[in-house]
Amino acid sequence: MNRQSTQLKKSLLTKSIVVIVGSSMLITACSSTKEASDSSAPTKIQIQTLNYAPEFIDNTNVIWKEFEKRTNTKLDITWLSPSTSEEKINVMLASGDLPEVTFVESLVNPQLQKMVDQGVFWDLTPYIKDYPNLSAPNLELAWSDSKIKGKNYSIPRFYPSYGGGAFPILRKDWMDKLGLATPTTMDQFYDVLKAFKEKDPNGNGQADEIPYSANYDTLGFVYGVFNGTQGQWKLKEDKLVPAITEDESRDALLWIKKAYEAGLFPKDFAIMKYSQTVDVIRGGKSGGTSQSMNHAWVTGSVIREVVPTADYVPITYLENASGVKYTPSGSSYYGVYLIPKKVSENKLKEILKFFDYAYGKEGNELATYGIEGVHYTVENGRKIATPQSAIDQVGDGNMNNLIHLISDDMSIGAVGMPDDVYNRNVEIVNERKKIKTPNPSLELYSEVYNKYYPEISKKVSDMRTKVIIGKDTIENYDKLIDQLRNDPTLKEVAEDMTAAYQEKVNH
């Protein structure tokens, strides 16, 4: 999985707060015994999970307490900071000192795969059907996607398949001023950015516009568009082949080089961090950047503080020369919870009861919106946050990082998003859902890949960057790709990835 896109995806998880309110459904709170009663002792549950909030809540928080009250539990939650989570998770797995509910960001973690094979974690497959919310249709795809060798060893943490991912969001007010339509091909996309540079869309009479605020990683979608696939691999005749050696990747590289030489990206393109690209677009002098759809308001509202008339709109898709439409989509979950075998079967069932409540409508909305009348009101069918919501740190990571909202709003909604922006996002994401861009390597595990591919990929990425900024030649790039096409190590990686793919589809 591309690390930058993972980081981008991470940064979006805390932003959702808007949802269309459907019919209300009461979910009965879980208790710690099969025959629940008010007098039964609360079940203690030890959980470790990721948290993107700027400040972590503790067991004095009103939402934390409300979850305990409604589920008859005593929660012991250890929050992981995203800056140190990967290291801490790997140390935890290596030590074997696992909490009762163990969070891992990716199932393709090598240490985790070994532990699953060794029988360290409960196989949840036989139990899921006994919990109506966990086994509901809205989680069916997440359970399917998170299987290992045909079995479910983890509770997937929901994330919408569409609406996330780094893909262009453009200044519609600039396009409207210049009489430009939203681009749907790479040539049109180039022409729009070129017009942003040359035709003074901000109207100040100066050539100070930065057409597209990007660094190398935020342009990963360009390679996807040209190849007509997501991820690092393409499926050809039931075999996975590395996209880096495909001719279409060379075409994508030349497109980026041409755009860079035309001044369509920042001069510091090669060394910019993602946060810096966001700062540029927020400053109001850039025509767009690569973000998930909820940034139409998360970033767009900041742009409006500088330019009140700014309108920041996601594009639906981009089409390659073969007429294949590309739009980003991803796994139906982000991160998983595993329960080690040191937990008794009775305790396992109590933990599943807790998650069953949390994945029901009542618990799910409690985690994200808080308590009605206290943390939000309902106006015209939408939940509107109150000032108390911010005081109690609702909808800002914390409990809704523990349990994600089961809604597209995770990726397309945001705090304070106006109706017109939200409704447009709904229309765009529904159009995106009609486009099925393949990602054959999604969640595949290969020890050979982990051992060799990162170094190969880095070598190609470094060469691409040098070619783009003129520090090396396309001829030297071609020599490198020719070497890789005949490289026995890359062939071994491709064979192992193909075996992993075939094993996944045959289960």
Side-chain angles (χ1 to χ4, degrees):
M1 182 182 292
N2 179 281
R3 182 169 178 82
Q4 179 69 24
S5 66
T6 301
Q7 292 298 326
L8 295 180
K9 191 173 180 181
K10 287 179 181 179
S11 70
L12 310 175
L13 301 182
T14 67
K15 306 296 183 183
S16 274
I17 197 67
V18 185
V19 74
I20 301 297
V21 180
S23 59
S24 178
M25 177 180 69
L26 180 63
I27 306 292
T28 303
C30 307
S31 67
S32 62
T33 62
K34 191 168 184 180
E35 299 295 326
S37 70
D38 293 337
S39 61
S40 59
T43 300
K44 296 180 180 179
I45 302 178
Q46 182 190 40
I47 304 173
Q48 179 173 272
T49 194
L50 203 54
N51 193 342
Y52 293 94
E55 182 182 349
F56 297 165
I57 62 171
D58 58 23
N59 60 6
T60 64
N61 177 268
V62 63
I63 305 302
W64 185 315
K65 287 182 175 181
E66 192 67 18
F67 258 97
E68 291 182 330
K69 175 183 175 183
R70 296 188 188 186
T71 61
N72 194 28
T73 57
K74 193 70 175 177
L75 301 178
D76 177 8
I77 305 174
T78 299
W79 301 114
L80 297 175
S81 168
S83 61
T84 59
S85 61
E86 184 175 5
E87 179 184 354
K88 287 186 176 181
I89 287 171
N90 287 333
V91 169
M92 175 193 67
L93 293 175
S95 71
D97 184 16
L98 307 174
E100 293 171 330
V101 179
T102 299
F103 177 82
V104 178
E105 289 183 75
S106 172
L107 285 172
V108 299
N109 181 294
Q111 181 63 34
L112 174 65
Q113 290 282 334
K114 291 177 183 177
M115 296 173 78
V116 169
D117 288 341
Q118 293 166 357
V120 174
F121 301 104
W122 279 98
D123 174 8
L124 306 179
T125 313
Y127 300 94
I128 299 168
K129 66 182 186 303
D130 297 330
Y131 301 90
N133 296 319
L134 289 179
S135 59
N138 58 12
L139 288 178
E140 184 176 355
L141 183 59
W143 286 112
S144 176
D145 285 348
S146 59
K147 284 183 177 180
I148 298 176
K149 297 179 181 178
K151 295 182 179 181
N152 287 111
Y153 292 93
S154 61
I155 302 169
R157 194 175 62 155
F158 176 86
Y159 194 81
S161 296
Y162 285 84
F167 204 54
I169 308 186
L170 301 176
R171 288 283 298 276
K172 186 176 184 297
D173 54 312
W174 283 16
M175 289 189 289
D176 290 346
K177 181 176 181 179
L178 301 179
L180 301 170
T182 301
T184 58
T185 69
M186 292 305 296
D187 285 345
Q188 291 174 5
F189 183 48
Y190 180 92
D191 290 342
V192 166
L193 299 186
K194 195 166 186 292
F196 284 174
K197 178 177 177 59
E198 297 175 349
K199 297 185 178 181
D200 192 28
N202 67 14
N204 68 356
Q206 303 176 35
D208 57 352
E209 293 89 349
I210 298 173
Y212 200 74
S213 181
N215 63 2
Y216 176 80
D217 289 323
T218 55
L219 290 176
F221 73 88
V222 177
Y223 293 94
V225 174
F226 275 85
N227 281 286
T229 192
Q230 300 184 88
Q232 302 295 320
W233 299 82
K234 294 176 73 171
L235 186 63
K236 289 187 172 182
E237 299 177 354
D238 293 327
K239 292 184 178 181
L240 292 187
V241 298
I244 55 175
T245 58
E246 294 290 283
D247 290 340
E248 290 83 359
S249 291
R250 184 183 191 273
D251 295 337
L253 172 61
L254 291 176
W255 187 95
I256 296 172
K257 179 178 176 61
K258 177 183 175 183
Y260 175 79
E261 291 176 343
L264 306 186
F265 308 139
K267 293 179 181 178
D268 295 334
F269 164 87
I271 59 173
M272 289 184 77
K273 297 178 180 179
Y274 169 68
S275 60
Q276 292 173 309
T277 67
V278 176
D279 288 342
V280 171
I281 183 68
R282 286 177 170 177
K285 290 188 177 181
S286 178
T289 190
S290 306
Q291 295 181 307
S292 66
M293 287 182 59
N294 60 351
H295 278 270
W297 189 247
V298 173
T299 295
S301 61
V302 180
I303 301 173
R304 287 192 184 187
E305 292 174 6
V306 181
V307 185
T309 57
D311 187 11
Y312 195 44
V313 61
I315 69 174
T316 305
Y317 67 87
L318 284 169
E319 191 175 297
N320 64 21
S322 300
V324 176
K325 294 178 180 179
Y326 174 99
T327 198
S329 61
S331 175
S332 52
Y333 67 97
Y334 178 61
V336 297
Y337 295 109
L338 301 102
I339 304 171
K341 282 283 189 70
K342 70 177 184 181
V343 174
S344 69
E345 185 175 21
N346 286 338
K347 184 67 170 286
L348 164 69
K349 291 178 179 179
E350 297 302 323
I351 292 171
L352 291 175
K353 283 182 182 179
F354 171 79
F355 278 96
D356 191 60
Y357 172 79
Y359 274 172
K361 181 178 175 64
E362 182 180 298
N364 201 227
E365 294 188 353
L366 173 64
T368 296
Y369 303 115
I371 302 167
E372 184 173 2
V374 177
H375 300 112
Y376 69 90
T377 58
V378 178
E379 298 177 17
N380 299 320
R382 296 179 63 195
K383 290 183 172 66
I384 307 300
T386 66
Q388 189 64 37
S389 176
I391 294 171
D392 289 336
Q393 296 167 275
V394 179
D396 186 21
N398 291 307
M399 294 307 286
N400 82 325
N401 275 182
L402 174 63
I403 300 297
H404 286 167
L405 184 69
I406 304 177
S407 167
D408 284 341
D409 285 24
M410 278 296 300
S411 57
I412 69 171
V415 176
M417 182 180 281
D419 287 349
D420 60 334
V421 177
Y422 177 76
N423 292 335
R424 185 173 64 190
N425 269 4
V426 171
E427 292 178 5
I428 293 170
V429 81
N430 286 338
E431 287 301 310
R432 285 191 181 186
K433 289 178 181 179
K434 298 176 183 178
I435 301 168
K436 307 297 182 184
T437 305
N439 189 352
S441 61
L442 182 67
E443 297 296 341
L444 293 186
Y445 175 75
S446 162
E447 288 189 23
V448 179
Y449 173 93
N450 290 334
K451 184 176 182 180
Y452 297 116
Y453 192 80
E455 183 179 347
I456 294 171
S457 179
K458 185 178 186 306
K459 186 182 296 184
V460 174
S461 293
D462 289 346
M463 173 62 81
R464 285 173 172 174
T465 301
K466 290 177 183 177
V467 171
I468 291 166
I469 64 176
K471 296 293 186 182
D472 214 324
T473 64
I474 191 66
E475 289 76 19
N476 284 339
Y477 169 84
D478 290 338
K479 289 178 183 177
L480 172 61
I481 298 303
D482 285 339
Q483 291 172 4
L484 289 176
R485 284 171 174 160
N486 298 297
D487 182 68
T489 301
L490 184 55
K491 288 182 179 179
E492 183 183 357
V493 174
E495 290 171 359
D496 204 59
M497 286 293 290
T498 296
Y501 171 79
Q502 292 173 344
E503 181 180 31
K504 186 177 180 71
V505 298
N506 289 330
H507 267 104

